[in-house]
Structure formats: C-alpha cells, structure tokens
Amino acid sequence: MARPKTITDERLLTALAQAISEVGPGFTVADVAARAGVSVGT
C-alpha cells in the first residue's frame, strides 16, 4: 500500500533533518517517524 498523499516528501525530509540534527548519526527510522507524526511503516 502506498503512503497517503497527505504525507509529503517534504514532511518526511523535514523530519529526517530534525532527527539527524537532534539525535545525530545514530538516528532511527522510528526517530524520523515520530517527528513526522507517522507510523514507522510509512
């Protein structure tokens, strides 16, 4: 199943940038998902 269109690439990339800056190179997919407000599977 594809991700919903309401979850944009920009939203995920912004969350990724936040996770990298806050957690560092040890960030996880769960860190990114939490910041984006989505499930890990998304």
Side-chain angles (χ1 to χ4, degrees):
M1 175 188 265
R3 70 181 141 120
K5 292 185 185 277
T6 57
I7 303 170
T8 63
D9 289 346
E10 182 178 354
R11 179 174 167 183
L12 295 175
L13 290 172
T14 299
L16 173 61
Q18 290 172 345
I20 291 172
S21 69
E22 294 171 13
V23 179
F27 75 93
T28 65
V29 173
D31 293 326
V32 177
R35 284 161 180 76
V38 298
S39 68
V40 173
T42 301

